[in-house]
Amino acid sequence: MTTERKYTGLEIAITGISCQVPGAANWRIFWENLKNGVESIHFMTEEEQRDLGIDDQIRQNSNYIPAVATIPEKHYFDAAFFDYTPNEAGLMNPVHRVLHQCTWEALEDANCNPDTLKGLIGIYVGAGDDANWRLYSRLKNSEGQQMDNFSLNNINNKDFLASLLAYKLNFKGPAFAVNTTCSTSLVAVNLACKSLLLGEARVALAGGITIRSEMPRGYFYQEGMIFSADGHCRAFDKDATGTFTSEGVGMVALKRLSDAIEDGDHIYAIIKGGNINNDGNRKVGFTSTSVEGQADCIRKAHKFAKVAPETITYVEAHGTGTRLGDPIEIEALNIAFNHNKEHNCAIGSVKSNIGHLDTAAGVAGLIKTALCLQHRQLVPSLHFKAANPEIDFNGGPFFVNTNLQSWEGRDGQPLRAGVSSFGIGGTNAHAILEEAPVRSDSDAGRKYKLLTVSAKTAGAVERYLSSLRGFLE
């Protein structure tokens, strides 16, 4: 029996989710993959490598890893829906194209229409740089001079991601482009939550995207670097040698909890609070991580959320599977959780499923955790067999969750989780999530219900109906 919830008034509801990650074009497929322990990475055959022009000398190098992880629908874009010409769409950075669609899908999922919403919409989003596409688009444009260079820059520069979306979708709240490397998207979520609490917007969209426009060709393993020796991420395992680079996008629609309840929204999970900080120089080098910095970030997130660490029973870790990074992360968590050996708290890393999404890594972990809370299930973290001997699992409450299992509350407490994301350069982010409040059942009402479908064209309506039929079947 769950006890009556006590809210601080600072809670934020996740009311909409949209994502594309390796192996999944939407969050529903992503959830099925997580439940079933699917690793969404492709190892190229020799024929595929030859087709890409990878010569024999590279393929025969023992450090060459032909592993790739890409998103399935990055080549498609409904230009007319967003009022772009075919020429503009052809020159637009794929990052912009995919993010336009993902942002709209998050709004749809949240049942939010920018043109009728009584209140402002804000957006906080970040992406990595893509010098390859910028060069390509300039060369392609110079062939026929389809656009002036100023306009070309607007649809290719990652710094215009937020403001271009605000223009196209009529968002009148804050529009921020964010970049803190790997922690970008979870920092964006933190900033969006603060914006809502300050009353700058009624709805805020937050997330990140990483897409590489060049053809995926695998990578070379280097001892001691971040990428793994075999293309698998074995977070916290003794055989871990790192992660693998991948691509993806994730966006969440957020509202103050009180507003979401008032509006009758579906709520995936609640963000109780969070924190962001930087390591400063409390580490051996600029790209290194800091126990003190991470622990301080997590402790302050607990304090802001007004939750005791012993009420948290899952942590979605940064979990890159590096020999040095994993022990530091667990030590920081042990400190933040007061080395409480009596408590049991599962940990996992979505990077073991889909690799490292770089600027989108944090929101991928957030979405995974929100779905776990919604379904009250803990999904397996992959490739863990025996712990890295440098990790002090005996010094705290943590264990790596390797099986799908039901997630039960303790002592009447709601389910709670933490989500970590740490960036190269030392910007740390941590969020505290809680399961959504129980909604009271509505009466049965009429025997039949009306389901309305809309789109911009008749053809789009038919495709939507066909997709809906397939889903219902």
Side-chain angles (χ1 to χ4, degrees):
M1 190 71 180
T2 304
T3 57
E4 186 178 350
R5 302 282 187 91
K6 293 182 180 179
Y7 294 123
T8 64
L10 302 177
E11 288 83 5
I12 301 296
I14 300 174
T15 60
I17 292 175
S18 175
C19 69
Q20 285 190 45
V21 297
N26 56 59
W27 68 258
R28 294 168 184 83
I29 301 173
F30 183 36
W31 173 246
E32 290 301 314
N33 288 346
L34 290 170
K35 276 199 311 181
N36 296 317
V38 174
E39 180 189 46
S40 298
I41 184 169
H42 173 65
F43 288 89
M44 293 186 292
T45 64
E46 287 194 5
E47 183 179 357
E48 287 173 322
Q49 294 171 50
R50 289 193 187 97
D51 288 344
L52 287 171
I54 301 172
D55 61 39
D56 292 343
Q57 186 176 1
I58 290 176
R59 291 189 293 103
Q60 292 166 10
N61 188 318
S62 61
N63 287 326
Y64 172 65
I65 313 298
V68 297
T70 61
I71 60 175
E73 297 186 357
K74 66 178 179 179
H75 302 298
Y76 302 107
F77 182 54
D78 191 347
F81 184 91
F82 297 99
D83 296 322
Y84 289 104
T85 67
N87 283 340
E88 288 173 327
L91 293 169
M92 180 184 285
N93 193 317
V95 163
H96 284 259
R97 295 199 299 249
V98 173
L99 193 66
H100 274 61
Q101 297 184 151
C102 192
T103 301
W104 183 260
E105 288 166 3
L107 286 170
E108 280 193 331
D109 195 55
N111 192 30
C112 177
N113 185 338
D115 294 326
T116 60
L117 178 74
K118 294 180 180 179
L120 304 180
I121 298 177
I123 182 166
Y124 294 78
V125 67
D129 193 20
D130 189 350
N132 180 70
W133 183 269
R134 284 191 282 112
L135 177 60
Y136 163 78
S137 62
R138 284 192 176 276
L139 289 173
K140 185 177 179 181
N141 189 50
S142 66
E143 294 172 2
Q145 200 59 39
Q146 302 167 51
M147 298 179 68
D148 63 89
N149 286 333
F150 180 78
S151 299
L152 184 67
N153 183 60
N154 293 344
I155 59 173
N156 282 292
N157 191 328
K158 66 183 180 63
D159 294 335
F160 290 124
L161 274 174
S163 52
L164 186 58
L165 278 163
Y167 170 69
K168 283 292 181 177
L169 299 179
N170 196 28
F171 300 162
K172 298 175 182 175
F176 274 70
V178 182
N179 198 318
T180 60
T181 64
C182 315
S183 59
T184 292
S185 54
L186 199 59
V187 168
V189 170
N190 184 283
L191 296 174
C193 290
K194 290 175 180 174
S195 182
L196 291 168
L197 295 175
L198 289 171
E200 294 175 336
R202 185 174 177 86
V203 174
L205 292 144
I209 181 168
T210 292
I211 289 180
R212 292 169 179 86
S213 56
E214 70 272 16
M215 291 295 291
R217 300 170 63 88
Y219 63 89
F220 282 97
Y221 167 70
Q222 290 180 278
E223 177 72 31
M225 299 301 287
I226 193 172
F227 299 126
S228 86
D230 61 359
H232 301 290
C233 179
R234 296 178 167 82
F236 313 111
D237 192 82
K238 67 179 180 62
D239 295 324
T241 54
T243 184
F244 54 91
T245 183
S246 60
E247 58 184 19
V249 54
M251 292 290 284
V252 290
L254 307 170
K255 267 187 184 179
R256 290 182 295 274
L257 177 60
S258 56
D259 289 341
I261 292 173
E262 178 185 333
D263 295 342
D265 293 323
H266 169 72
I267 300 172
Y268 290 92
I270 297 167
I271 300 175
K272 290 282 289 181
N275 186 248
I276 51 178
N277 73 354
N278 192 278
D279 294 332
N281 62 7
R282 297 173 289 184
K283 51 188 180 179
V284 298
F286 174 69
T287 60
S288 302
T289 53
S290 163
V291 170
E292 294 82 2
Q294 291 180 17
D296 186 53
C297 181
I298 297 165
R299 276 193 304 242
K300 287 180 177 175
H302 294 161
K303 185 175 181 181
F304 182 92
K306 292 181 169 56
V307 301
E310 58 267 21
T311 67
I312 295 169
T313 48
Y314 177 72
V315 172
E316 173 62 24
H318 186 61
T320 53
T322 56
R323 290 170 182 163
L324 295 177
D326 284 358
I328 288 174
E329 181 167 10
I330 297 300
E331 179 57 24
L333 281 165
N334 282 341
I335 292 171
F337 279 67
N338 304 314
H339 294 280
N340 186 350
K341 301 177 187 178
E342 303 302 316
H343 178 48
N344 284 315
C345 184
I347 60 169
S349 172
V350 75
K351 292 179 180 66
S352 67
N353 301 90
I354 59 174
H356 194 344
L357 271 57
D358 194 20
T359 45
V363 74
L366 182 85
I367 290 171
K368 169 190 169 181
T369 307
L371 295 175
C372 286
L373 285 164
Q374 175 175 254
H375 294 280
R376 297 179 68 88
Q377 289 181 304
L378 292 175
V379 297
S381 194
L382 308 184
H383 308 307
F384 180 84
K385 295 180 179 178
N388 179 336
E390 298 299 317
I391 295 178
D392 183 17
F393 277 122
N394 293 324
F398 301 101
F399 67 93
V400 180
N401 186 69
T402 57
N403 298 297
L404 177 66
Q405 58 178 297
S406 61
W407 189 3
E408 304 296 336
R410 298 174 186 169
D411 302 322
Q413 292 283 349
L415 298 180
R416 287 181 182 148
V419 181
S420 288
S421 190
F422 309 130
I424 289 175
T427 297
N428 307 308
H430 190 81
I432 308 297
L433 271 62
E434 182 177 288
E435 65 178 322
V438 178
R439 296 180 65 175
S440 57
D441 294 331
S442 60
D443 57 40
R446 296 173 181 170
K447 184 177 179 181
Y448 299 102
K449 304 290 192 295
L450 182 67
L451 177 62
T452 59
V453 174
S454 68
K456 282 201 171 184
T457 66
V461 169
E462 286 301 317
R463 288 191 295 273
Y464 196 173
L465 288 170
S466 176
S467 176
L468 188 59
R469 288 188 200 102
F471 172 75
L472 292 173
E473 288 167 0

